[in-house]
């Protein structure tokens, strides 16, 4: 074996060992064990739904857990909205929210395409395209909720639903397989927690998640032009669902936290540009959480890359993802933004910081250590 092959084998083995170690770390414990987190959240919504039924005079079981993904997504958001009004002593508004939900649910239940559209089951569940990839009124509703929540560089994004072509379906399958190959345990748990991928067309392509459509993620059709980007963005958005679940049952932020008045940190990149943005405590946790796991995904891609695959591109994206995670690790390490946290916020930051530190010890194929690239967070290679 040549010297270059020996070096390549050595760093690939190192990447595999670190990936395995960090994957075990990030899928266990209070913030990592997805099965425990999902189970706790399901119990939370059972209790919250019962409280809404009792407070608003609804028949017992009116807001019970749903087996159809679209119905469960609608239920969770309605319960969240109603509970918010109840806590503000706005009983009439809570009743109005739940009344609209039950009307919408009745329409959905009468639609056979909705009721037949269940997620994949068994040991390898994954987010699929709803309604067999066809344009559908409920899909348009979810996309509208997502569109209403998305602002890029101060502007809204016009989105249109689009049908899933055979090429996109094949690219989706390749991206899922790539993620499972790279980080099998993490990908399996994340894909198990999200039901559907809503596909759309937009002049400014992006991907996203919104609390108004839980259990769903949204991706532009351009996402599937590159397998590694599609794998990244599917993992990225599923991580937002996981952190949303964590936030429902853990005190990441102080009880009187107000996002509009939150202290902020600087974020010196924006969709391929160097424009500086300012993230609140809530958004900073979301970004820190995503980029830490995203770095692990690309490390896993390096460890399992096959002959002919572009290892240089994967290494560049590893550097970019890790540098962005490291930026949040530094910025969240001190300053007034820490005053916005609840007790679990300190624990989450410490948990993620350890992973960033360990990943930073990896020696890249060019011989440099990942931690030496801490300022490489503004590369235009990724538009996330």
């Amino acid at each position: 074996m040549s010297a270059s092959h020996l070096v390549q084998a050595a760093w690939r083995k190192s990447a595999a060992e670190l990936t395995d170690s960090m994957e075990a770390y990030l899928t266990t414990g209070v913030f990592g064990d997805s099965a425990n987190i999902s189970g706790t959240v399901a119990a939370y919504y059972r209790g919250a739904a019962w409280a809404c039924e009792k407070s608003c005079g609804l028949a017992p079981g009116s807001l019970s857990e749903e087996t159809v993904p679209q119905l469960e997504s609608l239920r969770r958001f309605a319960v969240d909205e109603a509970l918010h009004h109840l806590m503000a002593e706005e009983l009439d508004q809570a009743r109005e929210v739940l009344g609209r939900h039950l009307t919408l649910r009745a329409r959905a239940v009468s639609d056979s395409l909705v009721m037949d559209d269940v997620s994949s089951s068994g040991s390898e569940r994954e987010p699929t395209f709803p309604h067999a990839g066809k344009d559908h009124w409920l899909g348009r509703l979810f996309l509208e909720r997502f569109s209403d929540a998305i602002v890029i560089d101060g502007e809204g994004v016009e989105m249109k639903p689009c049908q899933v072509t055979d090429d996109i379906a094949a690219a989706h399958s390749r991206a899922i397989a790539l993620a499972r190959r790279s980080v099998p345990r993490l990908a399996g748990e994340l894909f198990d927690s999200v039901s559907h991928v809503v596909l759309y067309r937009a002049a400014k392509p992006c991907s996203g998640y919104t609390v108004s459509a839980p259990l769903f993620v949204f991706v532009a059709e351009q996402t599937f032009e590159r397998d590694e980007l599609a794998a990244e963005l599917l993992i990225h958005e599923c991580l937002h669902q996981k952190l949303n679940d964590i936030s429902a049952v853990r005190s990441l932020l102080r009880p009187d936290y107000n996002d509009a008045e939150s202290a902020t940190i600087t974020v010196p990149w924006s969709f391929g540009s160097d424009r500086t943005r300012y993230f609140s405590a809530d958004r900073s946790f979301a970004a820190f959480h995503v980029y830490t796991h995203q770095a692990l995904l690309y490390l896993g891609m390096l460890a399992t890359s096959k002959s002919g695959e572009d290892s240089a591109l994967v290494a560049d994206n590893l550097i970019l993802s890790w540098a962005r995670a490291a930026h949040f690790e530094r910025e969240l390490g001190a300053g007034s933004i820490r005053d916005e946290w609840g007790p679990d916020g300190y624990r989450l930051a410490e948990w993620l910081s350890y992973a960033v530190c360990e990943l930073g010890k990896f020696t890249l194929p060019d011989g440099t250590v990942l931690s030496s690239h801490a300022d490489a967070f503004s590369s235009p290679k990724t538009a996330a």
Side-chain angles (χ1 to χ4, degrees), residues 64-134:
S64 293
E65 188 171 3
E66 305 278 4
T67 58
V68 177
Q70 291 92 326
L71 300 185
E72 179 61 11
S73 180
L74 295 172
R75 181 187 80 103
R76 289 194 181 190
F77 180 57
V79 167
D80 286 339
E81 272 200 303
L83 198 60
H84 175 79
H85 286 302
L86 289 174
M87 293 177 69
E89 299 184 355
E90 298 170 346
L91 181 59
D92 288 343
Q93 289 92 326
R95 284 174 173 160
E96 183 179 345
V97 165
L98 296 178
R100 289 198 305 267
H101 164 69
L102 292 176
T103 299
L104 181 61
R105 181 187 183 278
R107 180 185 176 191
V109 167
S110 68
D111 189 321
S112 60
L113 195 56
V114 173
M115 300 307 290
D116 291 341
D117 193 16
V118 296
S119 296
S120 55
S121 59
S123 60
E124 296 232 327
R125 289 183 56 189
E126 60 193 40
T128 58
F129 296 108
H131 315 115
K134 299 176 182 177

Side-chain angles (χ1 to χ4, degrees), residues 3-16 18 298-305 309-319 359-373:
S4 62
H5 285 138
L6 287 172
V7 170
Q8 186 179 64
W11 69 251
R12 198 182 300 278
K13 179 182 178 183
S14 175
L18 184 55
Y298 278 113
L299 181 64
M301 284 189 195
L302 270 185
T304 59
S305 59
E309 292 183 337
D310 193 345
S311 295
L313 175 61
V314 174
D316 285 342
N317 284 323
L318 167 59
I319 291 170
L359 289 168
K361 298 175 183 179
F362 178 67
T363 300
L364 292 157
D366 65 1
T368 62
V369 178
L370 189 54
S371 60
S372 68
H373 298 273

